[in-house]
Amino acid sequence: MSDYTAKIKEISARLLKEEKVEMVIGFRKGTVPMMNEPCFVKTPEDIKKLVWDSNCGINLANYLTGRKEKIGIIAKGCDSRNIVTHIIENKIKREQLLIIGVPCKGMIDKNKIISMFENEINEVSENEENIIVKGEGFEKTLNKNDVLQENCKICIHRNPAIYDELAADLLDEQKDIDRYEDVRKIEAMAPEDKWKYFEDLLSPCIRCYACRNACPLCYCPTCFVDESKPQWVGKSIDPTDTRTFHFLRAYHCAGRCTDCGACERACPMGIKVRIFTKKLEKDCLELYGWEAGLSLDERPPLDTYRPDDPEDFIK
Amino acid sequence: MKYINIDKKSWASGLENLYENYRLFGPVKNNKHHVFKELSKGELPDLNYLNTLLSPKSIVFPQSETMFEYSLDESKEDHHILKEINKDYSPRALIGIRPCDAASFLLVKRNFDTPEYKDPYWLSAYEATIFIGLACSSPCSTCFCTSAGCGPFHEDGLDLLLVDEGKNFIAKILTPRGENFIKSAGWETEADPTAAEKIIKDMKIKAEEKIASFVSTDQLKNKSTTRLYDAPFWEEIAFACINCGTCTYACPTCWCFDIQDEVSKSSGLRMRNWDSCMFPLFTLHGTGYNPRNTKVQRVRQRFMHKLKYYVDKYSDGIQCVGCGRCIRLCPVNIDIRRVCDIMNNYGSRSRLET
Ligand code: SF4
Ligand code: SF4
Ligand code: SF4
Ligand code: SF4
């Protein structure tokens, strides 16, 4: 990954020096293992803090909303698709951006790795294929592919959808991936089992909204759960309100979600919230042949009407 | 000071006896992490743990708590009258709470128990609770309790401190309530105080040596509030923050709540729910004006409250016990240790000043 970092630094330094951008948005090394912190860099001297490794799972498109500057932004496949969505939805202008595309080899699942060890992990390093985990009295080498985030394992758009610069050569995309095995399992459940499944899934939710706030799609000035005149959703941790939040949020992401996994990664309670948005992603693909964020020239399915849109679900 | 030896073989039977007089709460591992929950009869707390994911503050200060109920049905005589809800304030014991979390209750008490205001819900629950601490022999890398006025063997806020010696616990009785607890369990074997003290002292030194992270707080009080408030570093500190409630909900010392009425048909509840200074709604006025309308303002508020306003108001250190939860759980790695050092060093020459 050090070659990625070097290239990112080189491009960022050039863009700042030539005053093509006022800031570059990227990652700096985190203060705890398996965490990097989104940051901005405004001067060539600050470039040294930029890093790239398998802990850059936060979606940086989230940091573009409504900004006015000329920005260089580091974008892996999913980030770039959310940037496309942001541009289509007028949250940022294409001309404001210089996109430093990163062909992405996947981000590692911090929660999964933590849960594999009894003791605290003090240090995590990586090389091309492996993740090396160290703690008091233990050291273990894990195969990176075994500990990728769930969404990265099934990602079919690792290369950025749009970019102005590239931090590495484009990768071969993963082929023959079944993206919806988990969704189909739930679709096949009897209604009561489905209900029980959702109930169990959401029972640890503390309504902190980290999932929503980590998501680049959730930029509404006032989210429906925060509306107080009128108030649509209760503020306690009553399961009905919690479910309402999750179901509605998922629908608001229909045809826009890129399965970047930022929501799931952000959840402090380890709730697999992507299952909701994935169901709608599947529906959009099956009903409209749509995948979000691949092109600037096409409008998303929920804001277009086509005479041949399927309608047999209207009963 | 009295010390009792608790053979682990008599741990379960002692707890069994305690159910007669207390509701017991302790750390239990659900499928992924440890949580504090009420133990059912026969259920044992898992004391082989680092710390719970979220703090145990919810045992005294639940995330959602109903205060009153009322009816809007005008055919009823008592319509529109708020009625108190009956609550169970019988004695409860929090078993295995870490010293940092125990100390947090004293800190939070400053807010809920003042000469002017006494919060009846928090205080009744607090007074019903006895705190049975478990000393930390292997602190986490993100714990900085020793520089936050606390420590792995700290006793403030505890009624009893348990020290795990492998085959047995040494219980150090700190209050009469702690003594009653021990009696009620039937643990009677007194330990030789000099020997016990020595063992605890040695273990304490070892544990403190293992603490790997620190903050400096010595200059916070001397700093000018307005200079810190206007400092240029906030934009950089706040950049990554997504304004979720994770840090404040996980924190044992965050005490803010909001009061809401929830009505269904003709019956209503008045409840309070945790709130967070990270949420825009927290400060939204009825007029629609929001005095803390930007992320930078909100992030600054959290750190200024914990590390400056509180420090000035109570002259007793920071509003933080160094448990490290906000560091471990923040989805974007905003680290209070870093922010504290930046604030503490601001104005004195330092590379962190930018
Ligand atoms: S819903 Fe989750 S996976 Fe989808 S775009 Fe938002 S953060 Fe990414
Ligand atoms: S991040 Fe997790 S706990 Fe927080 S609201 Fe989302 S699902 Fe609930
Ligand atoms: S500091 Fe971290 S946990 Fe706290 S609101 Fe910001 S992003 Fe959320
Ligand atoms: S501010 Fe962070 S470290 Fe301090 S008590 Fe709260 S959660 Fe723990």
Side-chain angles (χ1 to χ4, degrees), chain A residues 214-232:
Chain A
C215 175
L217 305 172
C218 286
Y219 53 66
C220 291
T222 309
C223 176
F224 70 96
V225 292
D226 291 335
E227 236 6 299
S228 47
K229 294 185 283 189
Q231 185 168 319
W232 307 105

Side-chain angles (χ1 to χ4, degrees), chain A residues 15 20-25 63-64 67-73 92 95-99:
Chain A
L15 297 180
K20 292 222 168 87
V21 297
E22 291 156 71
M23 61 174 2
V24 174
I25 297 179
Y63 295 92
L64 290 177
R67 291 206 85 102
K68 300 283 172 263
E69 305 94 326
K70 267 215 102 177
I71 300 167
I73 179 150
I92 193 91
E95 310 78 78
Q96 270 173 276
L97 300 178
L98 270 157
I99 302 166

